[in-house]
Amino acid sequence: MRFIVRLFALIGLFGVLLTAGLILLAIKAKDKQPTLPQSVVLEFNFERPLAEAPGEDGWSSLLNSRRGSVREVIDALEQAGRDPKVKGLVAKVGNASQGIGTTQELRDAIARFRATGRFAYIHAESYGDAGSGMTPYYLASAFDQVWLQPVGTVGITGIAVTQTFFRGALDSIGVQPQISKRADYKTAAEMFAEKQATPANREMTESLAGDIYDQMVLGIADGRHLNPDAVKAAIDHAPLLDSEALASKLVDKLGYFDEVETAAKERAGGKAAGADTVDLLTYGKIAGSAFNQGATVALIVGEGEIVRGGKNGGAFNDEASFAANRIADAFDTAIEQPNVKAILFRVNSPGGSPVGSETVRHAVDRARKAGKPVVISMGDVAGSGGYWVAMDADRIVALPGTLTGSIGVLGGKFVAKGLADKLGVGVDQVTRGANATIWSPASPYTDSEAARQDAMLDAIYAQFTEGVAKGRKLEIEKVRELAKGRVYTGRQAKDLGLVDALGGYDIALQQVRQVAGIPGNADLHIVQFPRPKSGYEMVLDLFNGKAAAEMASVAQARGAEKVLADYGPLLDMVQPMVRAAKRQEQVLMMPDLSVNGDLSINGAAR
């Protein structure tokens, strides 16, 4: 018996070693860098979703399926603009995969690339096939040649905001939402608490949709050298057929991707010049970073919902995370490095845990007191907790389409006693303490519990508004008037004094130079904190207990997924309520609106 056990143990060990060896070989093969052709045409598919920073995709990076990042794309284009081998860029697009802010960041990077004398062509089979093409075409308008496949359409149909309200459904099943907010425009929970949009919700939504629409119209008009009225007329007539798009000068040529690729190679000199295409991210790895010398700037990225505690996930979890302790640790590491002159903190978050948000804000403050200036660069969204973490920074930079602000607070719970009664489920509670059932879904708030809930909301709201007043050097009366939970575009926030400048990484780095006393034309060495793990380090993690625990966790999750699949239709009906109940302890909620493709209601907590 002992022999058999040992035999199976040896077989298991051999299997692990063989697997690890194969992975190491795959990494080595993957990391083998090809040589560049004599004349380079960069190629990229902008339908690929992008993370905010490199190294956020865990084990998928070893399988050649990592998403790539906004930072990598911009860095590669910056380096390409300095490389005499690179002649131009040919790209694909079609459906929206980036938010408005990220799209603006990419448009700016394309404009800088073209300003170096290089060309940029883009092709789509259809701009927004069976959906809105506003965002993909908005990106395409930054290129000097826009191609469309025959039979394709240009679906620049404008901005649509759709809000869904569950209050009637909750009433019908006996679930009572008890949610309070500070203040009128903190509308994230209206999808549960109301049957239709409140006047404040409608006012804010109209303002956001209108400003995003105007930004996109002006961007398309500028990129295509058209009158804004002509762009609006095309939008009102869209979706446009291929011939209509050509006649409206929104498209330069009708053709297929192989044809635009051939045209790009010919412009780069053709076969005689050794012209060939190279994937943009591959080029970036071969050519190296454009920001690898000069004063050191620490880049820290917070992406996704802000959560309290350590890293949310592990080597086997590809979901991006904004874990407060992880971000605070990155700040501590940057503070301890004497060569780090400043910190660039990229924030792309709709909020989350108030405690986690305060942890990160304190890290920002601690860095500044240690003599490390902090500049915030906002992505698609930096609202509620996403603005909380930014309010003490030296400078805040937002993209014109960034959704930010949401300086407000809400909290509450869902009382399911009516649902239990309908289902014949009896609930009995034994309590000690006047407020023991404050979080319980089995009973409504008592007067004492409601008073404590209000006290918490009032305290958080006061801390938020007073922190903004102090950090932004604004009068508290003005902040209280601007706050009320209202979401603004970056352009609106700039006019109100909530952000300092408009732009992406490029403008943020200009601000870094200013606050750190670095000459405006000086090179910078950007170092990401925490440092992403290499493929070899991730393989080595296979042999420690933490990785084993992560694998077990994933296995359990996969089992849970089967149950969810079996009961999916039923769970889909109550999933929003379940998600909200899971986060009932979080007072700071995410902002109500997100731009992903077109303007759309994101609702309350995911």
Side-chain angles (χ1 to χ4, degrees):
M1 184 66 181
R2 185 175 300 174
F3 170 78
I4 295 175
V5 171
R6 288 178 177 175
L7 176 62
F8 277 105
L10 287 173
I11 293 173
L13 176 62
F14 176 76
V16 170
L17 293 174
L18 178 62
T19 301
L22 290 173
I23 293 174
L24 287 170
L25 288 174
I27 295 171
K28 186 175 180 181
K30 179 185 175 184
D31 290 342
K32 186 178 180 180
Q33 296 178 338
T35 57
L36 293 173
Q38 296 177 3
S39 183
V40 176
V41 176
L42 300 173
E43 187 170 297
F44 194 69
N45 183 0
F46 283 101
E47 284 192 283
R48 294 163 59 177
L50 297 172
E52 272 294 348
E56 295 185 3
D57 280 345
W59 281 85
S60 62
S61 63
L62 302 183
L63 304 176
N64 287 316
S65 62
R66 190 170 64 80
R67 291 183 290 169
S69 72
V70 177
R71 183 67 227 164
E72 286 174 306
V73 169
I74 293 170
D75 203 357
L77 287 172
E78 187 73 25
Q79 179 65 23
R82 308 176 184 183
D83 188 344
K85 281 188 175 183
V86 177
K87 309 302 180 185
L89 168 70
V90 59
K92 293 181 180 179
V93 75
N95 292 319
S97 59
Q98 322 301 339
I100 298 299
T102 298
T103 300
Q104 291 174 334
E105 180 99 62
L106 296 172
R107 291 180 92 254
D108 290 346
I110 296 298
R112 293 194 297 272
F113 178 76
R114 290 178 59 192
T116 65
R118 290 159 176 82
F119 67 86
Y121 297 168
I122 194 163
H123 178 272
E125 295 174 348
S126 189
Y127 292 94
D129 189 32
S132 175
M134 282 292 288
T135 302
Y137 185 79
Y138 181 45
L139 174 62
S141 66
F143 288 69
D144 47 329
Q145 274 196 20
V146 177
W147 289 57
L148 173 66
Q149 181 171 301
V151 188
T153 60
V154 176
I156 49 171
T157 51
I159 298 291
V161 177
T162 302
Q163 303 192 53
T164 304
F165 298 92
F166 295 97
R167 181 56 187 268
L170 294 176
D171 288 345
S172 69
I173 62 174
V175 174
Q176 177 189 3
Q178 289 193 316
I179 301 171
S180 301
K181 62 185 179 181
R182 305 290 186 276
D184 295 345
Y185 297 95
K186 194 69 176 181
T187 58
E190 281 192 9
M191 65 186 300
F192 302 118
E194 305 290 342
K195 294 183 178 180
Q196 62 182 17
T198 61
N201 185 339
R202 187 76 186 182
E203 177 192 349
M204 181 175 67
T205 304
E206 290 278 5
S207 175
L208 291 171
D211 195 41
I212 294 295
Y213 177 79
D214 289 344
Q215 290 182 36
M216 297 179 85
V217 167
L218 292 174
I220 292 170
D222 181 64
R224 298 302 300 165
H225 307 292
L226 296 171
N227 187 290
D229 289 337
V231 175
K232 291 178 181 178
I235 290 172
D236 290 341
H237 189 61
L240 302 175
L241 304 176
D242 52 5
S243 58
E244 293 172 328
L246 195 62
S248 300
K249 299 183 180 179
L250 294 174
V251 166
D252 295 296
K253 294 186 179 182
L254 301 180
Y256 301 89
F257 184 73
D258 62 294
E259 294 174 337
V260 67
E261 195 175 41
T262 299
K265 290 180 183 179
E266 289 176 355
R267 182 162 174 178
K271 290 184 178 179
D276 204 355
T277 58
V278 177
D279 177 76
L280 178 64
L281 297 183
T282 300
Y283 168 81
K285 291 178 181 178
I286 297 171
S289 173
F291 299 92
N292 59 5
Q293 60 183 359
T296 300
V297 175
L299 172 63
I300 299 174
V301 176
E303 180 176 18
E305 182 184 349
I306 300 171
V307 297
R308 182 181 60 82
K311 187 178 186 301
N312 183 23
F316 294 90
N317 188 342
D318 288 349
E319 185 177 351
S321 161
F322 197 149
N325 287 352
R326 172 178 175 269
I327 298 297
D329 287 346
F331 270 91
D332 286 342
T333 304
I335 290 169
E336 293 167 1
Q337 298 296 319
N339 63 324
V340 171
K341 303 302 180 186
I343 297 172
L344 176 59
F345 185 20
R346 178 74 166 195
V347 177
N348 188 21
S349 171
S353 165
V355 176
S357 299
E358 175 61 13
T359 297
V360 177
R361 184 211 62 80
H362 179 64
V364 171
D365 183 58
R366 193 165 60 247
R368 295 182 65 205
K369 289 177 178 176
K372 312 280 186 180
V374 179
V375 173
I376 303 294
S377 173
M378 293 179 167
D380 287 326
V381 57
S384 198
Y387 191 84
W388 184 298
V389 302
M391 61 188 180
D392 276 350
D394 291 275
R395 302 280 174 84
I396 300 177
V397 179
L399 291 146
T402 297
L403 295 182
T404 190
S406 194
I407 302 166
V409 57
L410 60 79
K413 66 178 181 179
F414 294 87
V415 180
K417 185 177 185 306
L419 176 60
D421 291 342
K422 287 177 180 290
L423 297 175
V425 176
V427 178
D428 187 25
Q429 291 182 314
V430 175
T431 66
R432 294 293 186 275
N435 303 319
T437 60
I438 189 171
W439 307 124
S440 172
S443 58
Y445 289 126
T446 64
D447 290 344
S448 174
E449 290 168 349
R452 295 314 303 157
Q453 175 75 343
D454 285 340
M456 288 188 292
L457 295 179
D458 289 339
I460 293 292
Y461 188 53
Q463 188 174 353
F464 203 167
T465 52
E466 290 167 6
V468 171
K470 179 182 176 182
R472 301 301 304 157
K473 297 178 174 61
L474 297 171
E475 294 293 331
I476 186 62
E477 291 78 11
K478 181 179 180 180
V479 173
R480 287 170 181 158
E481 184 62 30
L482 295 177
K484 301 180 181 179
R486 182 157 186 163
V487 181
Y488 299 98
T489 66
R491 186 166 72 166
Q492 293 169 337
K494 168 69 165 55
D495 292 339
L496 297 171
L498 296 176
V499 304
D500 297 293
L502 296 180
Y505 275 108
D506 184 57
I507 301 301
L509 290 174
Q510 291 179 18
Q511 298 290 321
V512 166
R513 291 183 177 94
Q514 290 179 18
V515 298
I518 301 170
N521 58 352
D523 289 332
L524 296 174
H525 181 207
I526 298 177
V527 179
Q528 185 179 341
F529 287 76
R531 180 181 64 83
K533 286 185 178 182
S534 69
Y536 289 100
E537 289 172 320
M538 294 170 71
V539 170
L540 291 176
D541 281 347
L542 279 171
F543 297 97
N544 66 40
K546 180 180 177 181
E550 288 173 6
M551 284 192 288
S553 176
V554 170
Q556 290 176 352
R558 293 293 179 264
E561 285 175 3
K562 184 179 187 305
V563 176
L564 290 174
D566 292 338
Y567 296 94
L570 176 61
L571 291 174
D572 285 344
M573 295 174 61
V574 298
Q575 193 173 34
M577 292 176 281
V578 173
R579 287 171 172 168
K582 285 175 63 179
R583 292 176 172 83
Q584 64 185 19
E585 79 281 2
Q586 295 178 1
V587 183
L588 280 179
M589 301 293 282
M590 62 183 62
D592 321 293
L593 299 162
S594 66
V595 176
N596 185 8
D598 291 328
L599 197 67
S600 60
I601 293 298
N602 193 29
R606 289 192 300 270

